[in-house]
DNA sequence: CATGAATGAGCCTTCATTCAT
DNA sequence: AATGAATGAAGGCTCATTCAT
């Protein structure tokens, strides 16, 4: 029994290992070459498995991308809310959100690359997932803004659905720039200046 | 002579027509299906020419994309500066830039789609072109900001290279959202609220 | 009338010119690149005419080769017999044949190249022509040999149909070597040593 | 272990089988249709495999030809020297060389056809290989001639570099004739008469 | 579970040939 | 007669996916 149990666990762990290895390998290859220019053979080689093995864990090449956004990226976005909840006022919440956002994307550069690619494609293989995550993010920002308005920290005459995208877009672009710079500087350090820009704007009015 | 001249002109016009037709068709197909999922056959069909005809005007499938960014998109970006020069103070210049940006992308939705895709890809077939246009845009914004600082319209304690991307990113995201919404609302109307956000921020400080 | 006549002549001369120009151009391109790797476009460019013009003078790409062997090469081979007839005894006739053979192939290296290629191809586009010329050559050699036997210059116990090919093959190979050497030395100077080998062999018996 | 070993061996044998089958099929198709007129589809059909399978064993269509000349034809030429070494005097060596040459080319008619084609092409895909084999052959003949001169069997006043080609050319032409006759008679039986011609020449001098 | 050889549909590209001007 | 733009059939090659081992 014990042996059997150990064996099962090992198999599961091993199986899980292989699943993770393939997923990580795929993400790496996708990030480096782009999804359509990546081949199953490359992924298999990177993961150290046979081509056919990939089809034991994923339905198709497309499915790898789907799984990635379903589990990995989703998890990251789920973490955002928790981080937001750890702050009290709207401004701190926004700061926490953006810090976490930049931190997570900095931590997994391949994810960052893939996310940026897929988000801006016209025909998305992961339409639904992207939309879901994107909406979750926008909802969080909207909530923060609304809370901020009640707190008197955020002005009231705002076109909220524009503000949401304004913030997401700015953060995205900062990430995008970081990616194309080769990821050499500290992305998280951009958080505070960014939040400052969001809150104060570039105008001289508040000085 | 006159006949010969007319003939030459007609031929050129015709050749130019076909070049434009293929280019437009390609852009449409690329925008709809994505570059890698588009086939030469689809483009040819859309343009109403034979497959081989495409290779009389373009070296390869890749070349179509390159030509598009070299001539069409470049032209659009070149127009930005002229629009900026038509305004005096920094805020109006920014407003003009963003209005024109949104207007042009609204006018040619396929260009907008392609631009968004290619800008956010990790491996860009048009790396150089994108970078050039992007830099031109960022430079314009930077100039506007600096002018604004001298005019007293823009506050001085700014991390300029962040501000540039903050603005571009926000505009991009607004366009991106418009694209994925199906392009049903008026994109240009976003310009003024956007500029307001850039200048004033979302904070209640200035009220 | 006069004008018309001149015009016709000019046209014919001009037409003939163009025919010849295309033919020469084709032979050059074929010789340089090989028949199947040559394109009509290359030939047209080399001849200084439009692609379509070629089809006013030749039915097809294949036809160019056929015409070449029908008229140009045939003419060369027809000249062989005349040269042979200018000698009396068999050995001199053989010498004349080989000299002329080498001289003609040296004079038109492209023809030499094409002839060597087509002669040794399994599927010949010019099967009939090659066979005809080849047979004419072999017949001449056979006649010379028979005459030589009657003259007592050639020994009688010979397998004639082998001897014919033995001689043709040796000459061909000498030409082939000359071609691949870049045609830098004098091919005709090989004639006398060759005839000597044919007559005397390499054996020490006759010394 | 044993099973694994057997399995490996079987796999290798199978893989080797397929490699050989494709190579043979290709050679056959090339011989029948000529290299440039042969298609991968034809070769695949002849070999009984899918088109794509060919690319598991060969880099490209060209590569098939290269491999053929690198391994198959080379092996044949390597065998020549051994055969030569089995004879003592120069004449017997020459006889052995030519017998073996004719025998090998008779045994693999497709190789014979391909070799003749490629040897006489102006632009050779297998330039290097052909030259190497050709030179080896010529060197052997030269050695034999020199040995013969020392033995007193071959006369001394010879233009050796011409003699080499004279012999190779004659043999080649005999093979070429055999090929175009449909390969219906015994090629090897030509060896003795040929050697006789080389040694004695056609002249009546020795009688 | 794992393998990787085999498959074959599909794509980009070339180029001989045609035909309107 | 001459042009050369246009055609579209055909071929080399790739690669996602399958399946026998």
């Amino acid at each position: 029994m014990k042996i059997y149990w150990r064996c099962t666990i090992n198999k599961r762990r091993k199986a899980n290992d292989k699943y993770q290895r393939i997923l990580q390998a795929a993400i790496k290859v996708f990030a480096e070459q782009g999804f359509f220019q990546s081949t199953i053979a490359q992924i298999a080689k990177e993961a150290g498995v046979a081509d056919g093995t990939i089809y034991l864990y994923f339905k198709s090449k497309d499915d790898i991308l789907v799984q990635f956004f379903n589990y990995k990226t989703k998890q990251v976005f789920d973490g955002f809310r928790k981080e937001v909840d750890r702050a009290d006022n709207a401004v701190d919440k926004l700061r926490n959100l953006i810090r976490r956002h930049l931190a997570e994307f900095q931590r997994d550069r391949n994810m960052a690359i893939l996310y940026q690619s897929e988000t801006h494609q016209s025909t998305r293989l992961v339409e639904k997932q992207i939309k879901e995550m994107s909406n979750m993010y926008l909802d969080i920002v909207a909530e923060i803004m609304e809370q901020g308005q009640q707190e008197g920290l955020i002005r009231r005459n705002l076109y909220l659905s524009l503000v949401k995208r304004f913030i997401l877009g700015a953060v995205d672009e900062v990430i995008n720039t970081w990616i194309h710079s080769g990821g050499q500087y500290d992305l998280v350090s951009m958080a505070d200046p960014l939040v400052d820009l969001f809150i104060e704007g570039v105008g001289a009015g508040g000085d």
Side-chain angles (χ1 to χ4, degrees), chain A:
Chain A
M1 274 291 282
K2 208 175 177 182
I3 290 169
Y4 178 75
W5 174 77
R6 272 232 313 254
C7 187
T8 305
I9 288 295
N10 281 344
K11 269 192 181 173
R12 273 197 194 148
R13 185 177 296 159
K14 228 176 127 188
N16 191 49
D17 266 8
K18 211 158 262 185
Y19 175 88
Q20 291 298 335
R21 258 167 55 206
I22 293 170
L23 201 52
Q24 283 307 316
I27 298 320
K28 188 181 172 197
V29 174
F30 289 164
E32 282 168 357
Q33 321 235 344
F35 179 78
F36 291 107
Q37 282 158 304
S38 303
T39 68
I40 291 290
Q42 285 175 315
I43 297 169
K45 195 176 174 188
E46 178 74 33
V49 300
D51 293 18
T53 305
I54 290 178
Y55 289 87
L56 297 174
Y57 297 92
F58 300 90
K59 267 207 318 279
S60 65
K61 189 184 168 189
D62 289 11
D63 187 42
I64 303 178
L65 207 61
V66 172
Q67 301 259 350
F68 174 69
F69 278 98
N70 265 346
Y71 298 113
K72 287 231 100 181
T73 313
K74 192 124 192 267
Q75 180 185 342
V76 167
F77 274 74
D78 285 342
F80 288 169
R81 184 166 288 279
K82 266 184 291 180
E83 194 65 25
V84 167
D85 291 342
R86 296 175 54 184
D88 290 328
N89 69 64
V91 174
D92 286 346
K93 284 187 170 180
L94 185 62
R95 198 183 320 274
N96 277 14
L97 172 64
I98 290 171
R99 270 193 192 142
R100 176 66 168 261
H101 188 170
L102 296 178
E104 291 282 13
F105 276 54
Q106 178 165 245
R107 199 162 60 89
D108 191 343
R109 189 165 171 263
N110 289 333
M111 178 191 69
I113 293 172
L114 262 192
Y115 184 83
Q116 293 296 332
S117 279
E118 284 304 318
T119 308
H120 292 84
Q121 223 109 61
S122 50
T123 50
R124 301 166 174 169
L125 292 174
V126 281
E127 186 76 38
K128 204 166 59 73
Q129 287 89 341
I130 292 275
K131 211 151 215 165
E132 207 174 308
M133 285 184 294
S134 183
N135 282 338
M136 176 205 286
Y137 196 93
L138 295 171
D139 286 348
I140 294 177
V141 176
E143 284 173 30
I144 294 174
M145 290 296 111
E146 283 165 353
Q147 179 189 337
Q149 288 176 327
Q150 288 171 355
E151 293 169 348
L153 293 171
I154 302 295
R155 62 184 168 115
R156 292 197 163 270
N157 58 337
L158 286 175
Y159 183 3
L160 262 193
S161 73
L162 181 64
V163 170
K164 297 186 298 189
R165 299 175 201 287
F166 155 82
I167 291 177
L168 174 56
V171 176
D172 264 1
E173 180 62 23
V174 168
I175 293 171
N176 204 28
T177 299
W178 174 77
I179 287 172
H180 281 104
S181 80
Q184 288 165 343
Y185 54 89
D186 181 44
L187 189 51
V188 181
S189 69
M190 298 287 135
D192 285 348
L194 253 182
V195 171
D196 175 59
L197 282 175
F198 291 145
I199 302 299
E200 304 291 343
V202 298
D207 290 357

